[in-house]
Amino acid sequence: MSTDPFANPVWNALQTSHQPLALTSGRACKYPQDVAPFAAVAENTPEALRDLHSLLLPGETTYLANEQPPDVAGLRSEGSVPCLQMVFPHTLALPEAKPIEIAPLTCADAAAMVELTSVAFPGFFRSRTCLMGSYYGVWEHGKLIAMGGERLVINPWREISGACTHPEHRGKGYAPRLITQLLQDHREAGRTSCLHVVSTNRTAIELYLRMGFSVLREIDLYRISRIDSD
C-alpha cells in the first residue's frame, strides 16, 4: 500500500477494511453497484482497465480517482468531477454544535436514506451504502430529514460522507451536529476524520472550513461506463 492512503483511496479501502465488499479481477477492484459507484486499479494501465471491464455489467457506470484512465475497448470515459480531499486535524478541538437529537441509522433504514439522498444529494448513495460504516440521522414525524455517516475506511482514516439535509429543513444546524458526532466517534476511536467534496460545492466547503477541516489536495473522479454487451 502507498504510504499515502489517499493517493489511491478506493483501492486502499477495498484492499483493507472493505475487502469483504470488494469485487476483484486481477489489477482492478470495485464496490458492488448497490453499495457504491466506485472502482480502482492498482496501476493506470490498459491491462488494469481491461480487468475493470470484466467487473462491470453492460451499461454500468463507475468512478475512478486521480488519473485519466487510458482508452480501452468496451469502456467509455464520460468526463471528470474535481473534488477536494479535506482532513480534520487530530490536534484540533472538536467544534460546538446545537443540541439536536440524532439517532443511529442501520440498514433497516436504507429505504429512508436512499429517499433522502435522492432529493438532497443524488448520485452516490445506494441501497447498501449503509454497509460501509456508521450513520446517524434526524427524524421528524417519522420522516428522515437529515443524515451523515462514513464511507471509505482506511485505517486510521475514516471518511465522512452522505451528510445532507432535506431542502425544506436546511439552515437549522443539522449537518454540523451530525458531522460533529462523527468527529467525536473518530476521535474516541483514535481515528482521523476526512472527507471528499465536489470542488464547486462552495456552501459545503465553507461549512467544513468553519468547522476546522483543512484542504489536503484536489483530485479528479473520472466517470467510466461499460458500453459493450456480453
Side-chain angles (χ1 to χ4, degrees):
M1 185 189 302
S2 167
T3 55
D4 177 2
F6 276 90
N8 196 351
V10 175
W11 175 269
N12 288 324
L14 286 170
Q15 296 301 308
T16 56
S17 299
H18 279 169
Q19 192 172 42
L21 296 173
L23 302 177
T24 302
S25 176
R27 290 149 290 193
C29 58
K30 66 181 288 291
Y31 287 98
Q33 61 177 336
D34 61 352
V35 174
F38 298 113
V41 291
E43 54 196 34
N44 194 36
T45 63
E47 293 77 15
L49 267 292
R50 282 190 281 271
D51 289 338
L52 176 60
H53 175 277
S54 72
L55 291 174
L56 297 173
L57 298 173
E60 183 178 354
T61 295
T62 192
Y63 289 85
L64 291 169
N66 282 327
E67 297 182 87
Q68 171 77 54
D71 292 333
V72 169
L75 294 179
R76 179 176 62 209
S77 179
E78 300 178 334
S80 63
V81 179
C83 295
L84 297 182
Q85 291 179 339
M86 304 183 74
V87 62
F88 191 84
H90 63 85
T91 56
L92 194 65
L94 296 179
E96 295 184 5
K98 293 182 179 180
I100 296 167
E101 183 178 353
I102 64 175
L105 300 175
T106 71
C107 285
D109 303 306
M113 298 163 81
V114 171
E115 180 181 359
L116 172 59
T117 56
S118 295
V119 173
F121 185 65
F124 293 100
F125 198 91
R126 305 293 169 84
S127 60
R128 293 202 301 147
T129 303
C130 52
L131 296 175
M132 299 181 76
S134 299
Y135 283 85
Y136 294 94
V138 178
W139 298 86
E140 185 175 278
H141 306 305
K143 188 175 184 65
L144 186 65
I145 60 171
M147 60 173 275
E150 299 171 318
R151 191 167 57 187
L152 299 182
V153 177
I154 311 169
N155 289 330
W157 302 79
R158 291 289 188 277
E159 182 195 20
I160 294 174
S161 183
C164 61
T165 303
H166 192 283
E168 296 177 1
H169 297 275
R170 289 175 181 163
K172 300 178 181 179
Y174 295 144
R177 171 69 181 92
L178 291 160
I179 293 169
T180 298
Q181 180 64 54
L182 291 160
L183 291 173
Q184 180 177 326
D185 289 354
H186 297 169
R187 182 69 58 85
E188 291 175 354
R191 308 305 186 188
T192 300
S193 305
C194 60
L195 57 82
H196 290 82
V197 58
V198 176
S199 298
T200 55
N201 190 348
R202 298 309 310 175
T203 299
I205 292 170
E206 289 169 5
L207 168 63
Y208 300 143
L209 290 173
R210 287 197 303 272
M211 294 187 72
F213 284 86
S214 59
V215 176
L216 183 62
R217 65 164 68 85
E218 186 172 53
I219 66 168
D220 289 299
L221 293 179
Y222 291 91
R223 180 183 168 98
I224 303 294
S225 292
R226 177 171 170 172
I227 58 174
D228 62 352
S229 59
D230 288 332

